[in-house]
Amino acid sequence: MDIVQVKGLTKRFGGIVALDGADFSARLGEVHALLGENGAGKSTFIQILSGALNHDGGDILVDGQDYRPVNPDEALGRGIAAVFQELSLVPDLSVEQNIWFRREPRTWLRTVDVSQMRQQTLELFERYHFPSIATTREVRNLTLAERQIVEVAKGLAKNPRILILDEATSALPASEATWLLSLARQLADEGRLVIFISHRMGEVRAIADRVSVFRNGSTVATHDAAAVSDDQIVTEMIGRQLARLYPERMDTATDRVALQVRDFSSPPMLNGVNFDLREGEVLGVGGLQGHGQREMFQSLFGADKALGSVTLWGKPVCFDTPRQALSGSEGIALVPEDRRGQGLLLTKSVRENLSLPVIRRFSHLGLLNQRKEAELVRETMKSLSIKADTPEQIAGTLSGGNQQKVIFGKMLMTQARVLLLYDPTRGVDVGTKGEIFQLMRQLASEGYAILFYSSDLPELVNVADRVMVLRSGRVARMLEGDDITEEEILRAAVFDSEAA
Amino acid sequence: MNTFLSRNRLIVLAYIGMLLLVLITAFFSPGFLSASNLRSTFILASFVGIVALGQTFVIIGGGIDLSIPWVLNSAAVLMTLLCAGQDLPLIWVVPLLLAGGGLIGLLNGAGVALLGVPPIIMTLAANVILQGLILVFTGGTPTPAAPDMIKFLSVGRISGIPVIALIWTALTVLAWLLLSKSAFGRHLYAVGTNVTVARYSGVPTTRTTILTYVISGMTAALGGILLTGYSGVAYLGMGDSYLFTTVAAVAIGGAPILGGSGHYIGTVAGALVLTILTGLLPALNLSSGALLVVYGAVILLTVSIGSETFSEMWASASNRRKRIKEGTENG
């Protein structure tokens, strides 16, 4: 008998129907993937399953017994734990303190048994071959990827029968993502159920036994992974046939250099980067995570300090703040890594978010021309097909893909024609991904110059005109033409080219 | 306007609460609705409202200004000393003191935005330092009476309407324009909501933060100058009650203490509620100690009703009731 059985599950938030009669069924010993566009109801579904939300109607049976947890602790009591996309770690606590948070091993004095806790952590890490992270480091000093790994450890430490992984690979670089996939497989082989959410079809293909597809708040179908084609899944997800994910390649690059970067350094992460980004070009940035990509993007945008010379459309520039980078007719705009922490005012409307960088442009004698603002906002929403009820919808209630489009819109409303895109498709559904790539190509053909970092290798290979691979804060290789393959990018990222 | 109201439900709530309070007060002390009593209520509310204007801006921006009491007190003392009861010096004394208040705000803001000092520490220190300076400067001796012009501004009337209510109205319009109709307002809400996002969106975050403290310093100084006209003299400690009342007026007006939303229109209701409350409580024949207890408790209650946790509790309780009614859950 299937351990989890869900029938006709419904959930509304005010007037919005998030789940509309979803059915689901899964058994121990399998990796069960959930697929669906953002906003299809996957997140709501797993939040209900993990006790973070209550459902309005329908039945959930776990072990054949009625299941309606009021909080995550109660869910764990039935053997269900979840690793969420929104990270839930306490920044001031160490790795091990976070992993055993509220469930710390105690001494007979009821104080925390530190050595026991460390022992358990190391055992856990060893048993599941965790990438090495010092257990005593404070979480605030970890990278996003490392935090995600700790989050996985925290979920595993609860020893659940059912583990939910919500886009856990999206923040991970390739090697760690591979590890997590084999971990999921291992857990299933141990006789647990792993419910796995990812927007990367390759990952789902690699490990899932079965696949359930969500659309508009209900489940469309459940398939044996081996018996279903990618095309069929994508069609089910979006309810129509997707023309193609990656846009046709066009060489729109001109000879004009938009952004010239020389000796760009901010030790220890960035140690002398040199490159030219041309008008009309999409220049990919690859490499293992933590080799200076983030620092390079932040510093070019003026959000961090760096030394070296930067020339923008032939003029030397030096940005100390993002404001300087964004202002003026020849600026640099950034679509940042952390959508919720850097990109969007989640509690404000789509309109307020879109017009924020350029709000002064609507100011006349100190007063805002709100009609002009509304007009431009509407145009931007239309041209990027941002799906919101009205411009007044609160940005935090949009799906991830639409939130990302709002951030694109913000940046496109400025005059900047050099765009820095830091992992712009992270956690974005496949339909929106296609739209974003299409948009990038279109912008390039309009004369924008685009610097594009992605943690997903196929994206670099299929979208970028050239790919520069960073290693230890330097450009290890600049790949062009037929050299742009996943293998070459990885080779350049890992091996010392001089030794080769 | 519709979106303004639907987005600021707490402000609507504050005005409804204020009307209820008016009815209750009128019931317990029938004289409350007389023209003279309404007028004096308005005058008192104006002081709270004017001083709370700056506090509103600071709180929306994610900070708090605890230096208000002694900025206010310093302005009052210096005004009476420099004018020595004469109207003429006001021409330069008032601008000077407003600039002085702004300067204290500038220092507060610079400490917070440039040096990263927590707002509570920065403004509390400024408050204590000003208190010390004024004590040293006056030696504790009484200061001369307020000039007649100031008295006219505080308690005078123009065709029956208190002058200070006109000043308050003008300032309210100005605050509304700044918050709702200017680029500065947008920047301010962005900074208060998430300063990192604001910075990444090209908002001049440092300048915006500093400006809120400058405004607060100026309204505190203005409040001090006007309050002297009401009491006739400046005395030490006259600003002390304004710390609590300004924060409470902002909170009752629906602005979350962590910033990012709220509006001065709400603070106006908050100032009126607080003032009516101080008028109601004596009518209940309570001792002055009991009065303070009730005053504090009522404010705590009003503010927590508007808080997020409270409204979530309401929502989940009513969901539960609904489920019980539908029979999907027992007990």
Side-chain angles (χ1 to χ4, degrees):
Chain A
M1 189 184 63
D2 286 355
I3 184 167
V4 181
Q5 288 170 298
V6 177
K7 277 255 171 322
L9 198 65
T10 58
K11 174 73 186 174
R12 353 172 115 251
F13 298 100
I16 299 160
V17 182
L19 282 177
D20 188 14
D23 301 327
F24 177 77
S25 182
R27 50 185 174 251
L28 290 176
E30 71 169 335
V31 175
H32 197 122
L34 299 188
L35 287 169
E37 293 194 279
N38 280 337
K42 304 182 307 278
S43 295
T44 310
F45 175 66
I46 58 166
Q47 282 182 25
I48 290 171
L49 214 52
S50 62
L53 287 175
N54 292 325
H55 53 286
D56 297 334
D59 295 307
I60 307 178
L61 299 180
V62 172
D63 290 323
Q65 309 251 313
D66 188 45
Y67 175 77
R68 184 183 273 275
V70 296
N71 58 39
D73 284 345
E74 215 169 285
L76 186 59
R78 304 284 288 271
I80 300 180
V83 176
F84 282 116
Q85 230 177 313
E86 282 87 37
L87 304 170
S88 66
L89 303 177
V90 184
D92 293 312
L93 296 183
S94 70
V95 169
E96 56 194 14
Q97 284 168 331
N98 266 291
I99 293 175
W100 302 101
F101 189 61
R102 296 201 306 133
R103 302 178 315 106
E104 298 85 354
R106 304 293 181 95
T107 64
W108 60 275
L109 276 173
R110 308 297 299 151
T111 58
V112 174
D113 188 341
V114 177
S115 62
Q116 172 74 9
M117 186 162 76
R118 187 150 311 153
Q119 182 70 24
Q120 288 180 5
T121 312
L122 293 174
E123 277 168 17
L124 183 77
F125 278 17
E126 194 184 315
R127 178 167 172 202
Y128 294 109
H129 315 290
F130 271 76
S132 76
I133 297 176
T135 61
T136 49
R137 277 175 72 192
E138 262 181 41
V139 162
R140 73 162 66 256
N141 299 323
L142 301 183
T143 65
L144 200 59
E146 288 168 329
R147 288 182 204 200
Q148 182 71 64
I149 290 167
V150 175
E151 196 82 39
V152 172
K154 189 178 166 187
L156 267 184
K158 296 171 184 163
N159 193 25
R161 285 186 304 160
I162 302 173
L163 182 70
I164 301 167
L165 295 173
D166 182 13
E167 288 189 43
T169 54
S170 69
L172 297 180
S175 55
E176 277 82 356
T178 313
W179 160 77
L180 187 61
L181 295 180
S182 58
L183 171 68
R185 197 58 259 170
Q186 184 185 351
L187 292 170
D189 293 343
E190 284 176 3
R192 303 174 209 256
L193 162 63
V194 178
I195 298 177
F196 182 82
I197 298 179
S198 170
H199 284 305
R200 296 177 184 165
M201 194 66 85
E203 297 180 348
V204 172
R205 281 272 169 233
I207 58 161
D209 300 299
R210 290 200 293 169
V211 177
S212 287
V213 181
F214 276 68
R215 189 174 76 233
N216 296 334
S218 55
T219 23
V220 183
T222 298
H223 303 283
D224 278 331
V228 63
S229 70
D230 284 2
D231 282 349
Q232 187 181 347
I233 290 177
V234 170
T235 308
E236 284 176 357
M237 278 167 64
I238 60 179
R240 62 187 153 83
Q241 291 217 285
L242 180 70
R244 53 185 300 182
L245 179 56
Y246 299 113
E248 214 164 307
R249 214 179 269 277
M250 297 177 287
D251 188 10
T252 53
T254 68
D255 289 337
R256 196 168 163 222
V257 175
L259 179 71
Q260 187 190 64
V261 175
R262 292 290 179 269
D263 297 322
F264 204 54
S265 315
S266 164
M269 296 310 289
L270 213 50
N271 302 301
V273 169
N274 299 294
F275 68 90
D276 288 344
L277 168 66
R278 288 173 296 159
E279 183 183 45
E281 180 183 39
V282 177
L283 176 55
V285 178
L288 299 180
Q289 183 143 9
H291 280 252
Q293 297 93 337
R294 174 189 298 121
E295 289 72 18
M296 180 173 85
F297 276 69
Q298 297 269 21
S299 304
L300 284 172
F301 185 55
D304 274 338
K305 303 248 175 293
L307 299 170
S309 89
V310 178
T311 313
L312 195 59
W313 303 107
K315 278 184 219 142
V317 291
C318 177
F319 298 132
D320 293 324
T321 61
R323 196 165 93 84
Q324 292 174 3
L326 286 170
S327 63
S329 55
E330 288 170 352
I332 297 186
L334 171 74
V335 172
E337 171 182 24
D338 183 357
R339 195 189 303 150
R340 307 168 72 88
Q342 300 169 328
L344 274 188
L345 300 173
L346 294 168
T347 55
K348 298 293 173 201
S349 67
V350 171
R351 172 180 55 82
E352 284 161 289
N353 271 289
L354 278 173
S355 60
L356 185 59
V358 294
I359 192 68
R360 253 170 311 212
R361 209 196 297 162
F362 305 113
S363 187
H364 181 66
L365 299 174
L367 293 185
L368 293 177
N369 183 341
Q370 282 165 315
R371 193 174 311 158
K372 210 166 118 196
E373 180 199 2
E375 207 172 287
L376 244 99
V377 163
R378 224 174 301 126
E379 266 171 41
T380 306
M381 286 178 70
K382 205 169 141 205
S383 72
L384 294 181
S385 50
I386 294 170
K387 289 184 205 88
D389 300 338
T390 71
E392 300 309 317
Q393 188 173 344
I394 301 303
T397 64
L398 296 176
S399 70
N402 276 303
Q403 288 183 2
Q404 192 69 310
K405 283 192 202 168
V406 173
I407 299 175
F408 265 86
K410 271 171 75 172
M411 293 305 157
L412 294 180
M413 282 177 91
T414 69
Q415 314 267 332
R417 284 201 302 129
V418 171
L419 295 182
L420 312 176
L421 310 180
Y422 195 95
D423 223 357
T425 60
R426 185 165 96 82
V428 167
D429 58 88
V430 66
T432 311
K433 265 186 193 175
E435 286 179 64
I436 287 177
F437 298 140
Q438 197 69 51
L439 176 68
M440 285 166 61
R441 260 325 357 151
Q442 185 200 328
L443 291 171
S445 72
E446 287 167 11
Y448 277 83
I450 297 174
L451 197 62
F452 168 51
Y453 168 74
S454 174
S455 54
D456 196 31
L457 288 181
E459 289 186 2
L460 289 178
V461 172
N462 286 292
V463 179
D465 299 321
R466 291 186 296 158
V467 174
M468 89 176 147
V469 182
L470 294 194
R471 194 180 61 237
S472 306
R474 287 197 187 83
V475 179
R477 257 190 95 181
M478 185 69 87
L479 299 167
E480 293 183 47
D482 293 339
D483 283 346
I484 308 179
T485 61
E486 293 186 35
E487 294 76 37
E488 284 300 318
I489 294 174
L490 266 179
R491 197 193 308 275
V494 177
F495 300 114
D496 203 334
S497 54
E498 283 133 49
Chain B
M1 203 59 196
N2 248 337
T3 52
F4 177 84
L5 289 182
S6 65
R7 285 272 216 93
N8 295 280
R9 239 167 271 152
L10 291 175
I11 293 182
V12 180
L13 218 63
Y15 277 91
I16 293 173
M18 185 188 79
L19 288 177
L20 284 177
L21 197 59
V22 168
L23 293 178
I24 294 170
T25 313
F27 177 77
F28 280 106
S29 64
F32 175 74
L33 289 177
S34 73
S36 72
N37 195 52
L38 281 181
R39 210 179 288 129
S40 66
T41 303
F42 249 97
I43 290 174
L44 280 171
S46 299
F47 296 121
V48 178
I50 290 169
V51 180
L53 191 153
Q55 189 73 279
T56 307
F57 278 71
V58 173
I59 287 179
I60 290 174
I64 192 160
D65 188 354
L66 306 183
S67 69
I68 283 178
W70 281 90
V71 172
L72 185 155
N73 213 150
S74 308
V77 168
L78 291 176
M79 192 272 292
T80 49
L81 281 175
L82 292 172
C83 291
Q86 302 298 306
D87 277 343
L88 202 60
L90 285 172
I91 298 171
W92 60 271
V93 167
V94 171
L96 182 78
L97 292 177
L98 290 181
L103 182 69
I104 302 295
L106 186 75
L107 295 174
N108 276 334
V112 170
L114 291 176
L115 304 179
V117 184
I120 291 183
I121 303 298
M122 187 68 217
T123 57
L124 198 58
N127 193 48
V128 172
I129 291 170
L130 281 175
Q131 180 178 9
L133 285 176
I134 289 297
L135 285 178
V136 170
F137 187 64
T138 62
T141 52
T143 60
D148 291 337
M149 186 63 192
I150 295 294
K151 285 182 186 156
F152 172 71
L153 291 178
S154 314
V155 295
R157 295 179 219 163
I158 296 174
S159 55
I161 302 168
V163 180
I164 193 157
L166 297 174
I167 299 176
W168 190 21
T169 308
L171 287 175
T172 303
V173 171
L174 195 66
W176 174 70
L177 288 176
L178 274 176
L179 288 176
S180 292
K181 300 282 163 193
S182 80
F184 167 71
R186 291 296 179 82
H187 288 167
L188 178 58
Y189 284 108
V191 166
T193 304
N194 185 332
V195 72
T196 309
V197 174
R199 199 164 83 90
Y200 276 65
S201 306
V203 171
T205 52
T206 309
R207 189 201 305 167
T208 305
T209 304
I210 290 177
L211 211 51
T212 63
Y213 287 94
V214 171
I215 293 172
S216 185
M218 290 176 74
T219 55
L222 179 63
I225 293 167
L226 293 172
L227 195 59
T228 317
Y230 181 78
S231 53
V233 289
Y235 56 94
L236 301 183
M238 67 192 284
D240 289 356
S241 67
Y242 281 85
L243 179 54
F244 185 65
T245 45
T246 54
V247 175
V250 175
I252 292 173
I257 202 74
L258 293 177
S261 58
H263 203 285
Y264 184 64
I265 301 299
T267 306
V268 169
L272 287 166
V273 165
L274 287 169
T275 314
I276 297 169
L277 202 59
T278 40
L280 166 67
L281 293 180
L284 300 176
N285 285 325
L286 293 172
S287 73
S288 63
L291 212 101
L292 283 177
V293 172
V294 174
Y295 186 62
V298 167
I299 290 164
L300 190 61
L301 196 71
T302 356
V303 174
S304 33
I305 285 174
S307 77
E308 231 164 82
T309 325
F310 212 86
S311 50
E312 266 169 31
M313 272 162 57
W314 272 113
S316 74
S318 72
N319 270 339
R320 207 178 141 82
R321 269 199 301 277
K322 211 164 69 193
R323 280 217 304 273
I324 291 170
K325 227 162 78 188
E326 287 165 357
T328 49
E329 186 177 311
N330 334 314

